[in-house]
Structures are given as structure tokens and as C-alpha cells.
Amino acid sequence: MSATTPPIGTTFGSTSLFREALVIAGRTLLHWRAQPGLIAVNLLFPVMILLMMGGLFGGAVAGSTGDYFVYVLPGVLALNMMFGIEATMTALASDANKTVTDRFRSLPISGGAVLLGRVLADLLTSVVELVALSCAGFLLGWRWENGILPALAAYALLLTLRFSMLWLGVFIGIRAGKPEALMGVQILVWPIGFLSTVFIDPRTMPTFLGWIAELNPISAVATSARELFSGRQIEGVSWAATHALPYALISQAVLVAVFAALGVRAYRRLGQ
Amino acid sequence: MAEPEVLIEARGVRKHFRGAEAPALDGVDIIVEAGRICALLGTNGAGKTTMIRILTTLLTPDEGQVKVAGYDIATHPGQVRASIGLVGQYAALDEILTGRQNLELFSKLAGMRRAEARRHAARLLETAGLGEVGDRVVSKLSGGLRRRMDLATSLITTPRVLFVDEPTTGVDPHARRDLWARLREMADQGVAILLTTQYLEEADALADDVVILKAGSVIARGTTADLKQLVGEPKWELREPTLEDVYLHLHATSEEVISR
């Protein structure tokens, strides 16, 4: 070792859970810088879904493409928050597979920092995605008809959906242990996302299917976001739809309570 | 003369994974003093990696007392982690980032501020002879360079104890010699090193002490010289026994040989 190397056993400054989490979240920003193309694709994908669904089906579903964009955009925002689960799952499974998780766990840092860092990074990514998708919506004629504060409340609600999905992703990603094992879950994300009120008014579905679609927590968030953005009450066929906001908050609180506990437990028990 | 400090002290370590027929470790004792390199030998499934994972706090033993750098892993895992470095079987690096970014990231997690982390990363790259490739993305590095980068990352905390799990698997002979020299240099500075390897030549060249595991139990332990003496009867008339001769002999007989 060179003369300037600290002697064996040197300890460095103390650190805190939040600072450690920020460092780990900062790693995601470095990934953005290293892979700008990937970030661009991630931002453009939901815009593409919006354009595709609105352009192809808007006229048939809502009578006009413009009206459908206004209907579907809050739904696509919610769907995008749900699809974020894939990034969380893949990041954790990939770290575990490449033993980066072992490196983190063998460092003198808080166990919670790794998961908190992932949460912060994914929420930051989600904010950027929401901004990009909303800008696309504005260009297509969508507006915050109900004012700024309800719109901000809608975005906060969308982020709570991302937050709850994130913990589900943490749990699945850790348990999977390698990205290849996530294939089945990744396939399931699509039908779960589509069996909702994101794209279609549930009243146009067969009653039983409409009822199931409204029970989907993504539907509750999409409906609440529509109400908050537009200021209009959205009708539905079940209690979950007519009380979308409380149902959204309750279902997400349950998801967070269950999967945050399971995710932290799975992280602590890695390899046991 | 003062007694050498014991930096790894494991006694009666037992671990039985759920669903497994036999325990992965069945009452293993390992002692490593400061400045010595101990090689943990055994076939696949002998329990080497399980032992390393327990000593590095990644796994909880079912039974046994384990102290690393003087701290009990059960009661003071944070102090243990602050005293150790781990080089796992696979380079535990973020492959999207450069080597320098990895070193800075882990230095910050070790408690350094941004500027200090940057200086520390540069110093580690220079020391490891990786200065020229420090700004290359890890996924573009060769296997040997990646292992050296991994070793550099494990030295961020200037550890008193280093665990090295099969360090030269898949590494070319030149890079292997480099890594050996680096490990010997660290041991000479007082670091206790526990390494697992399947290459007996590696253990022969590097280790001061050897522990041989078979099916989760220690079947032999001692210095390489002691072990060679124990089985160095007329069988090897034309040459000195190698550690490979010792290993094959002991593995076949599974005798419990305690020479130290």
C-alpha cells in the first residue's frame, strides 16, 4: 500500500440511516447518467401507450379521440405507477444475483438504508415519469380542470400507489433472487393492469367483470385521480367505485403494511 | 513476546439449512491470528461459503460462538462489519458504473464525505494498479481486472480481517499471481485473511494455515508444513508431498488430524 493509505483498522466518519439511503438512491442517478437511452425509453413508453390507446381506440370508446385522452390520461398515470413495480423487482433481484446486496449487507450501514434508498430512488423516478406523461397530456388537450391543489392531491395519490407497489416489488424482487425468476410476475402485471377501469368505463363491461375491475386498487386510484383532476364525480357499479378515494387509501395502506413487513423480513433473512 | 492477536475465532459453529438432509456446518472451529492467511479447503458443498457468510454476518449460525476482530457477530454485527472486508465468489460491483464510481459509492457508505470518498477511491485505484482502468464501466473489464476491482472495493474500510471466497476462479495465471502478492502484502501488514479455494496450489503458495472441511466438518487443520509431515511417509519418495497429496490423502481417510 502507498504511504498515504490510511492504516489498517481506520474508521471513517459516522453516518445516518437517511444519509446512507440518499447515497444508495444517488446510485440510481448515476445509472441515469450512464444509460440515458434507457431513461428516454422508460419515459417514452407510457406516452406511447397513451398515444396508442387514445389514437386507436379513442373514437370507438368515447366518440372522439380528444375526449378519450381526457378520460384515459389519469388512468395511464395510475397504470404507469403500477408498472413501476417491474423496475423495483428487477433492480433488487439483479443486485441479489450479482451479490451487490451481499456487499451492502457486509458494510457497517443500517439494513434499512438499502431498502429506503431504493424507495427514494423509485419515487424520484416516478415523479419524473408523471411530469413527462402530464406534459404529453397537456399537448394532447388534457387540463387540470379542477385547479392546482386538487391536481397536486391527485399526483400525491398516484405516488402513494407507486409507494405501495414498490413494497410489493421489494418483496418479490428479494424473494426471486435473480431477474430471470421474475418472468412470470412480469407477464401477470399486464392483465392485472388492464383488468381495471384505466381504459374502459366499468359500466360498459359485463356486471361481474366491472365489479372485479372496480375492486382493483389501480381502478380506485385512476377514478380518484379523474375526480380530482376534473372535479366531476365518476359513477361506478360497486362501493369500491363510489368510494374510490377511501378505498384507494385503505387498499394501499394494507398493501404497504403487509409487503413492507414481508419485504424487510425477506431482506433480513436473505440466504438463511 | 506478546501473544499474536486472534482476529477470527469460531467455535462449534453449526448451521442446518431448512429442507437439507445434513447440516452445512457441524461444529466447526476456526482460529486465525493477525498477519496470517488461513485457507479453508473442501469440495463443493463442504461448507466453505456457508462459513464465510456466517463470519461476515450475512448468515446466522444455529449454534456456536463467533468473534471477528474481537467482536461477537451476534451482539456486535455493526462493529464486525466495520472491521472486515469481503471478496465474494463473484465480483460484487455495480456493473453499470465505473470502478471509480463503485469505489466512491461504497466509500460514501463507509461514512466519508464526497471529496474524501473521491480521494480515497483514487488512492485505492492507484494502490491496486487500476488507475488506468478506473473510469471504465465494470461490465467492460476482464475477469481478472474485475476481481482486482472487487478486492479494492473490499479494502474501502481498511479492514483488519479479510474474507476471500474463491478469489481466483476464472482468473488468468498472471492476474492470479498479482492477487496472491496483494493478499500476502496485506497479511504482512497484520491483516488476518481467511480464504476459500479449490486450487490447492493456491493454498500451498499462500496459506500459513490450512483447515480442510468435508461435509460440514473439519477433517484436518494445521500449517501446510505440519500437514505435509503428517502424511509425508515413503509414499512420496521422489519428491516432497504437495498440499494436493495431503488433501487427497486426508479426504480419502477423513481422519481428524489436529496438529496445532
Side-chain angles (χ1 to χ4, degrees):
Chain A
M1 278 187 215
S2 69
T4 51
T5 302
I8 300 300
T10 301
T11 52
F12 300 96
S14 62
T15 183
S16 66
L17 169 70
F18 191 64
R19 184 177 175 271
E20 290 160 1
L22 281 179
V23 172
I24 289 169
R27 178 182 164 218
T28 302
L29 299 181
L30 292 173
H31 286 180
W32 287 9
R33 210 165 68 181
Q35 300 180 312
L38 194 63
I39 298 303
V41 169
N42 280 345
L43 293 179
L44 287 176
F45 179 71
V47 175
M48 193 186 74
I49 294 260
L50 177 70
L51 291 171
M52 210 172 68
M53 298 306 289
L56 292 178
F57 306 121
V61 174
S64 85
T65 303
D67 286 347
Y68 188 61
F69 275 133
V70 172
Y71 174 82
V72 84
L73 194 114
V76 175
L77 290 171
L79 191 69
N80 197 43
M81 293 298 99
M82 187 226 174
F83 280 179
I85 190 176
E86 292 198 35
T88 309
M89 289 188 307
T90 308
L92 281 155
S94 178
D95 274 357
N97 190 38
K98 289 176 181 147
T99 64
V100 176
T101 308
D102 279 354
R103 167 83 67 207
F104 284 134
R105 291 176 69 228
S106 69
L107 287 173
I109 60 172
S110 162
V114 176
L115 298 183
L116 186 59
R118 170 53 46 195
V119 169
L120 292 174
D122 286 356
L123 283 177
L124 179 65
T125 308
S126 301
V127 169
V128 175
E129 288 170 358
L130 287 176
V131 169
L133 200 47
S134 298
C135 287
F138 276 116
L139 291 175
L140 294 166
W142 175 70
R143 295 289 179 268
W144 298 346
E145 295 166 45
N146 201 23
I148 289 177
L149 284 179
L152 291 177
Y155 285 117
L157 182 66
L158 287 160
L159 286 171
T160 62
L161 174 63
R162 180 71 186 93
F163 186 71
S164 63
M165 288 293 126
L166 212 155
W167 285 108
L168 180 59
V170 164
F171 174 65
I172 296 172
I174 292 172
R175 290 304 299 261
K178 53 184 176 182
E180 300 80 24
L182 294 171
M183 198 82 84
V185 184
Q186 285 166 329
I187 290 168
L188 272 179
V189 166
W190 285 84
I192 292 172
F194 276 71
L195 186 54
S196 68
T197 63
V198 163
F199 296 110
I200 307 284
D201 186 332
R203 291 171 298 172
T204 65
M205 300 177 188
T207 311
F208 179 65
L209 213 54
W211 190 75
I212 291 177
E214 286 181 348
L215 272 183
N216 189 336
I218 300 152
S219 302
V221 173
T223 302
S224 302
R226 277 182 188 124
E227 289 177 345
L228 286 163
F229 282 128
S230 69
R232 289 188 293 274
Q233 180 78 30
I234 309 287
E235 290 178 30
V237 295
S238 68
W239 182 90
T242 52
H243 298 81
L245 186 57
Y247 178 63
L249 294 173
I250 291 167
S251 56
Q252 285 169 54
V254 171
L255 278 171
V256 171
V258 172
F259 288 104
L262 287 175
V264 170
R265 186 168 176 267
Y267 184 79
R268 284 193 180 142
R269 293 178 59 83
L270 261 174
Q272 296 285 339
Chain B
M1 199 173 143
E3 284 282 307
E5 190 181 5
V6 173
L7 291 180
I8 301 174
E9 187 179 4
R11 296 191 189 279
V13 176
R14 195 169 190 283
K15 180 73 188 176
H16 197 150
F17 289 105
R18 216 180 310 155
E21 280 183 20
L25 293 172
D26 198 4
V28 173
D29 296 348
I30 290 177
I31 307 285
V32 186
E33 293 166 351
R36 291 185 79 82
I37 299 178
C38 176
L40 197 55
L41 299 180
T43 52
N44 284 334
K48 305 185 299 289
T49 298
T50 302
M51 192 67 206
I52 293 265
R53 291 181 69 79
I54 286 173
L55 292 166
T56 52
T57 75
L58 296 176
L59 200 59
T60 313
D62 298 335
E63 288 172 29
Q65 292 286 315
V66 182
K67 280 188 179 178
V68 176
Y71 299 108
D72 193 310
I73 59 160
T75 55
H76 296 84
Q79 281 93 332
V80 170
R81 289 180 199 132
S83 311
I84 64 169
L86 169 65
V87 184
Q89 276 186 23
Y90 309 99
L93 299 165
D94 187 324
E95 294 188 347
I96 298 171
L97 305 182
T98 65
R100 190 185 302 278
Q101 286 172 327
N102 269 280
L103 289 167
E104 286 179 10
L105 172 78
F106 290 111
S107 296
K108 281 188 225 164
L109 286 174
M112 291 175 220
R113 299 285 153 193
R114 186 191 296 245
E116 191 186 3
R118 197 167 288 167
R119 281 196 300 274
H120 194 54
R123 203 160 43 206
L124 287 165
L125 285 171
E126 186 200 336
T127 307
L130 293 166
E132 284 184 16
V133 295
D135 293 314
R136 243 189 248 172
V137 174
V138 168
S139 61
K140 306 273 187 218
L141 295 177
S142 68
L145 287 174
R146 222 182 275 202
R147 299 299 300 190
R148 280 166 62 189
M149 194 65 81
D150 195 35
L151 177 62
T153 310
S154 73
L155 303 181
I156 275 169
T157 52
T158 61
R160 300 183 69 206
V161 184
L162 185 66
F163 296 96
V164 194
D165 197 5
E166 302 196 10
T168 55
T169 303
V171 170
D172 67 69
H174 183 70
R176 183 180 300 175
R177 298 275 166 185
D178 277 357
L179 211 62
W180 289 358
R182 185 82 186 91
L183 292 175
R184 173 45 64 195
E185 194 185 329
M186 291 184 62
D188 291 344
Q189 287 166 355
V191 176
I193 299 176
L194 180 67
L195 82 106
T196 73
T197 180
Q198 292 192 29
Y199 299 123
L200 299 178
E201 178 206 358
E202 184 162 85
D204 217 355
L206 206 54
D208 303 303
D209 306 295
V210 173
V211 173
I212 303 180
L213 282 179
K214 184 179 180 184
S217 297
V218 175
I219 58 167
R221 73 172 77 243
T223 63
T224 51
D226 289 344
L227 289 177
K228 284 173 185 175
Q229 268 185 359
L230 281 166
V231 288
E233 292 299 321
K235 264 185 171 179
W236 295 286
E237 289 167 358
L238 300 176
R239 58 174 171 81
E240 286 288 305
T242 64
L243 196 56
E244 186 167 348
D245 297 323
V246 176
Y247 178 81
L248 293 173
H249 173 80
L250 287 172
H251 219 261
T253 56
S254 294
E255 288 170 351
E256 174 75 13
V257 181
I258 310 290
S259 69
R260 277 185 93 214

